[in-house]
Amino acid sequence: MSAFYQPTAALLRSFGFTQFASPAGQTRFSRPSECGQETIVLYSDDELTLLEAVNGQLLYCFQGRIASEAEFRVLLRQVNWPAEVQTT
């Protein structure tokens, strides 16, 4: 059993992310931000990457592994991404 955590598709959808096609071994989710596009890439080895595109420039915010949903929410807040469930 893995000691690492990856957010579920349902959780990411509740944050406003939409799943997009991706290469084998990856699952990609994106959502618009105030100044660009936020993308989360989940890898089959439990690693994840947070990417943000602003004005056509790609910024790498984080790449690594996390231990829990709470840590995931803290990570989103550290890179100034909303970490609350959207209600629409």
Side-chain angles (χ1 to χ4, degrees), residues 2-55:
S2 175
F4 301 112
Y5 169 83
Q6 281 195 331
T8 64
L11 178 66
L12 293 174
R13 281 192 297 273
S14 74
F15 288 167
F17 286 92
T18 301
Q19 187 170 349
F20 288 91
S22 56
Q26 298 179 12
T27 308
R28 292 177 181 255
F29 295 85
S30 293
R31 69 180 177 189
S33 69
E34 289 182 18
C35 55
Q37 184 83 12
E38 300 168 345
T39 300
I40 296 176
V41 183
L42 305 176
Y43 298 95
S44 58
D45 66 355
D46 291 333
E47 193 164 298
L48 62 88
T49 300
L50 275 57
L51 308 166
E52 187 166 8
V54 176
N55 297 324

Side-chain angles (χ1 to χ4, degrees), residues 40-78:
I40 296 176
V41 183
L42 305 176
Y43 298 95
S44 58
D45 66 355
D46 291 333
E47 193 164 298
L48 62 88
T49 300
L50 275 57
L51 308 166
E52 187 166 8
V54 176
N55 297 324
Q57 183 174 353
L58 189 60
L59 305 174
Y60 288 85
C61 296
F62 174 85
Q63 184 168 358
R65 293 181 176 95
I66 55 175
S68 66
E69 181 179 332
E71 186 178 348
F72 176 66
R73 288 175 183 255
V74 167
L75 175 63
L76 292 179
R77 290 183 182 108
Q78 286 177 335

